[in-house]
Amino acid sequence: MNAFALPDLGEGLAESEIIKWHVNVGDAVEIDQIVLTVETAKAVVEVPAPCTGVIISRHGEVGDVLGVGSLLLEIDDHTNQAEAVNKSDAATVVGNVAAQSCDVDVDQFWVGNDNEIDESLISALPSARLLAQKLGVDLGKVRGSGPDGTILDADIYRECDKQKPGTEVLKGARRTMVASMAESHKHVAAVTITEEADITDWFGTQDISSRLIEAIVYACQEEPALNAWFDAQTMTRCVHSHVNIA
């Protein structure tokens, strides 16, 4: 048995959204055959099969966002029984340890009680734990849909939707835009200056955009501090002589 996880797609991208599955459970696949299409923050990528065999199980649905290392497929690659047993044990050791070590009443766990549950004893993929931390999701309230009840990334997103009805989880490029905008907001001063200007001498057909650009350039020449970048890491300021309107 060969457990196939989402590989590192490069460029430091930690997660991808499933766009389309090209195989179903029971299908025979060849090595390097395209099994699914995912979308990262930068591109749509086709993921090939790592080996020849038969699809035993498939994890994740269209629209789910998975982190690198999340289980995608289990493929019967016709290895001998001893190797299959060893791989099976290795793939589920986290879930087995959690199930044996966590002494929790199942009914109380899902209905809810006042006792805090150690999240380290809950069976969850590392990517799901990281995602839960980012989105503020309590792992103790999530029902895992993976093998042996393991919590997957998709379970975290579903729980997040439950916590905030009517909201939409941003994925792909839109999710990257949010991170970029938030990072930009931390380093750019949010300042608004309002002044009145007498434009009675303007020609009737003169475009306000060109006059506004001229005013910005003039202001930057008069006060260079308006046209400067600040680097918080090095605590330095760079004053520019060239005015970039964009």
Side-chain angles (χ1 to χ4, degrees), residues 1-3 71 74 79-98 100 123 147-148 150:
M1 188 76 68
N2 191 339
L71 183 62
E74 288 182 305
T79 55
N80 63 55
Q81 187 65 26
E83 290 178 345
V85 171
N86 290 336
K87 288 183 178 181
S88 176
D89 290 343
T92 59
V93 64
V94 175
N96 291 338
V97 171
Q100 294 171 1
S123 179
D148 298 326
T150 300

Side-chain angles (χ1 to χ4, degrees), residues 225-238:
L226 290 174
N227 190 30
W229 287 357
F230 171 68
D231 188 338
Q233 294 183 343
T234 60
M235 292 299 292
T236 58
R237 184 184 69 158
C238 177

Side-chain angles (χ1 to χ4, degrees), residues 22-41:
H22 300 283
V23 294
N24 295 308
V25 173
D27 289 353
V29 295
E30 299 290 334
I31 188 170
D32 292 334
Q33 177 182 335
I34 302 302
V35 292
L36 81 159
T37 301
V38 299
E39 181 181 8
T40 69

Side-chain angles (χ1 to χ4, degrees), residues 5 10 18 24 35 37 46 52 61 77 87 111 116 120 123 128 140 193 213 216 220 225 233:
I18 297 178
N24 295 308
V35 292
T37 301
E46 293 181 331
T52 298
E61 302 297 332
D77 54 357
K87 288 183 178 181
V111 174
E116 293 185 0
S120 65
S123 179
I193 301 176
I213 292 173
I216 293 174
C220 290
Q233 294 183 343

